Amino acid sequence: MIHWSPFVQAFKRKYPWVQLAGHQGNFKAGEAGTILKKYAPKEKEALSLLMRDILRPYVPEFQKEVIRSDERFIQMQDLLADFDTPSVMDLKMGVRTYLEEELQKARTKPKLRRDMYQKMIEVDPNEPTPEENKLKAITKPRYMQWRENASSTASLGFRIEGIKIGEGAPDKDFKTTRYKPQVGVAFDKFVNSNKIVVGKYIRRLKAIRATLEMSPFFKCHELIGSSLLFVHDKNDSASVWMIDFGKTTRLSDGKYLDHRIPWIEGNQEDGYLWGLDNLIDIWSDIYNGQIEPVLEESNNENGIDSKDSTETQVNAKEVPNGKPELSDDPTQKDINLSTPDER
């Protein structure tokens, strides 16, 4: 998630901080080139391990733990520091955003949430059951599972949490952006059809994927609620980082994840690589001018009429080796895994 607060820091910056997702107040200004994120044990553990893993070039640098006003924070690299008026997109990765233990806890100690019921009906007033309407409340797992099926989390293995283009206002209206054509249009708008930036994003994503497939850390961790942060600016500088490890959980000894096979409760699969495969596929279609049009006449905000959804839905491609090919695509070539970014 992008949690940066919407203000300009006292020291010189070429951008205002923005918050596209998550809880307000999780971040504070650090020293120049750093930010402070509210302390979370799992996040600190994950970042500490990642500093010794081959994924290090693709995550923010973890520096130290600090105390501010009696609160604990993690000091880390500010990923926007070197960009000039950056455009930013947060994609939440994986096929689910909740831990299995959260489901188990909800079953044994269900807690009804009025705030989540309200969020649900704001998007889809017809979604709650008669019982939920009577109570005007739902459980957190019920809300999260609905969010995942309403968005592209379940259908593509990732979803758009928010987009901010340059100095424009943040856009978080992607709760029902579910199908591949919708996502492609949103991505193309984000980069303003700039093939230079698209090519850099594709190379970076492929480098991340190749490194993930070799990473000892990734093999033995379940990544839930983690995001990919896309950043580019008016100078065509562009890069992608893995962020948000507050729910990242180490597996029991001797257990490893595939990160592509379907999740069945108990197997802890997160679908991260499956989502990344689909993500690269969509960016590749944009690069090759193959994004599919979204129906203009629609009964909903995202351009997909429910009665036509069977015609417009594009299923995520089955990619056995997770590496779809691009014919005559220069972005396929010369991936340097040691390069920290694609600027």
Side-chain angles (χ1 to χ4, degrees), residues 113-131:
R113 297 279 298 268
R114 291 181 177 273
D115 58 330
M116 291 184 173
Y117 170 83
Q118 190 61 40
K119 288 180 181 180
M120 176 183 283
I121 62 173
E122 285 174 2
V123 176
D124 186 353
N126 298 318
E127 174 61 26
T129 65
E131 180 67 16

Side-chain angles (χ1 to χ4, degrees), residues 90-336:
D90 180 325
L91 297 187
K92 189 179 292 294
M93 298 299 296
V95 295
R96 58 190 169 93
T97 56
Y98 51 86
L99 295 165
E100 292 186 355
E101 64 188 51
E102 291 181 274
L103 276 183
Q104 296 163 3
K105 182 178 178 181
R107 290 190 188 111
T108 56
K109 296 181 180 179
K111 181 180 179 182
L112 293 175
R113 297 279 298 268
R114 291 181 177 273
D115 58 330
M116 291 184 173
Y117 170 83
Q118 190 61 40
K119 288 180 181 180
M120 176 183 283
I121 62 173
E122 285 174 2
V123 176
D124 186 353
N126 298 318
E127 174 61 26
T129 65
E131 180 67 16
E132 290 168 342
N133 281 324
K134 181 180 178 181
L135 296 170
K136 296 191 181 303
I138 57 175
T139 64
K140 184 177 180 180
R142 161 76 167 109
Y143 173 79
M144 297 178 83
Q145 289 175 323
W146 164 75
R147 279 280 285 118
E148 286 156 14
N149 285 289
S151 70
S152 59
T153 291
S155 59
L156 293 172
F158 67 86
R159 74 172 180 238
I160 303 172
E161 286 289 285
I163 291 176
K164 185 177 185 299
I165 300 174
E167 296 179 346
D171 183 0
K172 296 184 281 186
D173 190 17
F174 299 99
K175 290 183 174 65
T176 56
T177 300
R178 180 180 180 186
Y179 302 115
K180 185 178 177 181
Q182 298 171 286
V183 174
V185 168
F187 285 1
D188 193 49
K189 181 180 178 181
F190 171 58
V191 299
N192 194 28
S193 303
N194 187 331
K195 287 190 73 170
I196 296 174
V197 171
V198 174
K200 289 182 177 182
Y201 279 154
I202 293 171
R203 286 194 293 271
R204 180 73 167 177
L205 289 170
K206 288 184 175 180
I208 290 173
R209 181 173 64 183
T211 309
L212 284 169
E213 291 174 333
M214 298 184 293
S215 164
F217 174 90
F218 188 62
K219 189 177 182 181
C220 64
H221 281 82
E222 174 189 11
L223 271 66
I224 300 298
S226 184
S227 291
L228 285 178
L229 176 67
F230 289 72
V231 188
H232 66 269
D233 65 17
K234 60 186 179 181
N235 301 315
D236 293 341
S237 295
S239 199
V240 185
W241 287 272
M242 298 172 64
I243 62 170
D244 293 332
F245 302 99
K247 285 188 176 182
T248 296
T249 305
R250 186 178 180 87
L251 305 175
S252 56
D253 290 345
K255 186 172 182 179
Y256 303 102
L257 296 184
D258 178 79
H259 298 285
R260 281 191 176 98
I261 64 175
W263 172 64
I264 300 172
E265 188 173 351
N267 71 4
Q268 293 185 270
E269 289 289 346
D270 53 29
Y272 195 107
L273 284 178
W274 182 69
L276 186 52
D277 292 338
N278 289 319
L279 182 57
I280 292 171
D281 196 30
I282 294 172
W283 279 114
S284 300
D285 284 348
I286 293 171
Y287 186 88
N288 291 324
Q290 296 174 349
I291 58 171
E292 301 176 41
V294 175
L295 294 180
E296 292 184 3
E297 293 186 5
S298 169
N299 293 333
N300 67 44
E301 63 195 63
N302 289 292
I304 298 293
D305 192 331
S306 58
K307 64 182 174 62
D308 293 326
S309 63
T310 56
E311 297 175 12
T312 55
Q313 180 176 358
V314 179
N315 290 327
K317 290 183 179 179
E318 294 293 336
V319 186
N321 61 7
K323 298 177 182 178
E325 295 297 321
L326 295 178
S327 58
D328 301 321
D329 180 1
T331 62
Q332 281 279 80
K333 303 172 184 177
D334 300 324
I335 295 174
N336 182 352

